[in-house]
Amino acid sequence: MLKSDRPITILGIETSCDETGAAIIERGQDGRGTILSNIVRSQLREHEAFGGIVPEIAARAHIESLDRLIDSAMADAGIGFQTLSAIAVTAGPGLIGGLLVGTVTAKAIGMVRGLPVIPVNHLEGHALTVGLTENVEPPYLLLLVSGGHTQILAVHDVGDYQRLGTTLDDALGEAFDKTAKLLGLGFPGGPQVERWAQGGNPRRFALPRPMMGRPEAHFSFSGLKNALRLEASKIAPLHDRDIRDLCASFELAVTEAVSDRVKTAMNAYQNLHANRKSWRLVAAGGVAANRKLQTALSDLATEKGFTLHVPPVSLCGDNAAMIAWAGAEHFVRNLPYERGFSARARWPLDGNAPRAIGAGVKA
Ligand code: KG4
Ligand code: ZN
């Protein structure tokens, strides 16, 4: 890990989606990270009735709790603002209302306390979390699977990302969420589908494995979701046994499709780093918490000469510790950032990646 001449302490703020987060991390001179506090307030209850996230409700909920969360994070860490080296705040991508709440709050504290405010890409937060938890630093291959994003990237260095694959339609977490909604399982869908899949028969329904065998490491999940809808409507009304089997079949189809796409990306990555004997695969984002997916990725990693690194479940989902850590990694490297930055609903990690052929409006 990159060393620094003094330890640095960062306040992280996360408000890009439906989780309000405030955290304090310390990055020691040896480059090791310590979480001093990490508070996440989920808005699940506010959005539950709608079966998905309502942007305005999300923004209002961030306003109502962010100041108190920051107070609590500071108190839990046992520090005052004078101890901070900088503030790191998610500036995108995400829901613009929520991003504005976080960025304005960060700028206000920064102005009053004379602290630098570093705009952090939410995806970079997920991408670098393994540095905080396991000391794993770039280069590595990254599978980023969350509710809004599904990508495979070569992480060359902090701030240097090359996209090798992306989804052409839905994000993987979105596919889990829509499947759960269809089956009446509640929100967010990923953990529900995972729970119901336990003990189900994954071979009962022959669902497609989208994009398998394609030369580029792109994904697609909307066809799979529709195939599941068809199977479910054929056997309606659904009994618990049917729901368990549908969830298990969905999970298996997803796991096999994702493994195939990751394998394709591994080949491309090994060509980029042909002089190495072993390579690293990192899985991050909310869906990386899925145990079947982790097991499949672990088997694949062993087969291809990679080691697999996944953050603990508590840091797979959205949180502010990962934002603080990404900010710290930028801070110690003196990477440039815009002082008058604004929030960005769209902010790709690899700004040079071309639009994937066949990608729909959301991809
Ligand atoms: O990274 P994240 O917390 O928020 C975004 O940035 O999107 O990811 C949330 C997504 C949701 O779609 C949720 O259903 C999914 O991650 N998820 C899971 C699991 N836990 C969360 N998907 C599958 N299996 C899980 N265990
Ligand atoms: Zn996320």
Side-chain angles (χ1 to χ4, degrees):
M1 304 296 284
L2 185 73
K3 295 192 169 43
S4 55
D5 54 4
R6 61 194 164 95
I8 58 169
T9 309
I10 307 268
L11 162 65
I13 296 175
E14 160 61 36
T15 56
S16 68
C17 195
D18 62 338
E19 244 97 44
T20 316
I24 315 289
I25 63 109
E26 189 183 87
R27 190 185 188 283
Q29 284 167 278
D30 58 0
R32 285 180 180 266
T34 309
I35 298 177
L36 302 185
S37 63
N38 184 22
I39 303 179
V40 180
R41 185 194 171 273
S42 168
Q43 304 173 359
L44 260 187
R45 284 229 318 279
E46 284 94 325
H47 300 288
E48 213 167 21
F50 304 94
I53 299 157
V54 183
E56 185 173 330
I57 295 177
R60 286 172 184 270
H62 288 307
I63 290 180
E64 282 159 21
S65 57
L66 183 58
D67 51 352
R68 277 178 291 124
L69 251 61
I70 292 172
D71 273 351
S72 306
M74 297 292 290
D76 283 6
I79 61 162
F81 284 101
Q82 73 284 356
T83 308
L84 292 176
S85 318
I87 301 169
V89 60
T90 304
L95 300 172
I96 198 71
L99 292 170
L100 289 172
V101 174
T103 51
V104 166
T105 305
K107 285 187 180 200
I109 300 174
M111 199 180 286
V112 173
R113 294 287 171 173
L115 289 166
V117 181
I118 304 168
V120 171
N121 183 314
H122 177 86
L123 304 175
E124 190 173 31
H126 283 302
L128 300 180
T129 304
V130 286
L132 172 61
T133 57
E134 278 188 65
N135 249 350
V136 171
E137 57 179 357
Y140 47 78
L141 180 66
L142 171 73
L143 172 69
L144 182 60
V145 274
S146 71
H149 298 270
T150 296
Q151 295 187 353
I152 305 187
L153 299 133
V155 177
H156 298 307
D157 201 351
V158 172
D160 184 3
Y161 306 92
Q162 180 185 353
R163 197 194 72 192
L164 301 177
T166 185
T167 181
L168 305 184
D169 41 58
D170 293 350
L172 182 53
E174 193 181 356
F176 269 97
D177 294 338
K178 287 179 176 171
T179 295
K181 191 172 182 181
L182 178 88
L183 300 175
L185 302 184
F187 183 83
Q192 300 286 350
V193 171
E194 175 163 33
R195 197 163 59 79
W196 279 83
Q198 278 165 26
N201 175 4
R203 307 268 168 208
R204 176 165 162 206
F205 301 98
L207 299 173
R209 273 59 171 158
M211 309 294 281
M212 246 164 112
R214 297 281 187 95
E216 282 188 297
H218 294 325
F219 304 83
S220 163
F221 298 107
S222 69
L224 173 58
K225 175 191 68 192
N226 288 333
L228 183 126
R229 186 196 314 274
L230 272 177
E231 294 292 345
S233 64
K234 273 191 230 160
I235 56 164
L238 301 177
H239 300 287
D240 281 6
R241 173 88 258 155
D242 302 321
I243 294 178
R244 270 198 286 276
D245 293 347
L246 281 163
C247 286
S249 301
F250 174 81
E251 216 180 30
L252 181 66
V254 157
T255 301
E256 290 187 0
V258 170
S259 298
D260 176 76
R261 311 292 57 225
V262 173
K263 194 170 183 174
T264 302
M266 283 173 154
N267 293 334
Y269 187 75
Q270 283 172 320
N271 285 335
L272 287 174
H273 295 277
N275 54 348
R276 289 180 173 255
K277 289 200 177 58
S278 90
W279 300 266
R280 283 178 299 206
L281 171 66
V282 171
V287 189
N290 186 279
R291 270 153 292 187
K292 290 262 166 45
L293 183 62
Q294 285 189 16
T295 306
L297 291 175
S298 161
D299 293 347
L300 178 63
T302 308
E303 178 195 327
K304 296 284 292 173
F306 280 71
T307 52
L308 174 67
H309 307 270
V310 189
V313 174
S314 61
L315 293 175
C316 276
D318 289 348
N319 65 86
M322 70 180 191
I323 301 304
W325 178 251
E329 290 289 81
H330 276 245
F331 189 79
V332 291
R333 286 169 177 78
N334 270 320
L335 295 181
Y337 64 91
E338 202 188 332
R339 290 201 51 173
F341 69 89
S342 47
R344 301 169 64 175
R346 272 181 67 82
W347 184 3
L349 266 185
D350 176 359
N352 298 318
R355 199 173 168 74
I357 295 169
V361 280
K362 285 188 293 175

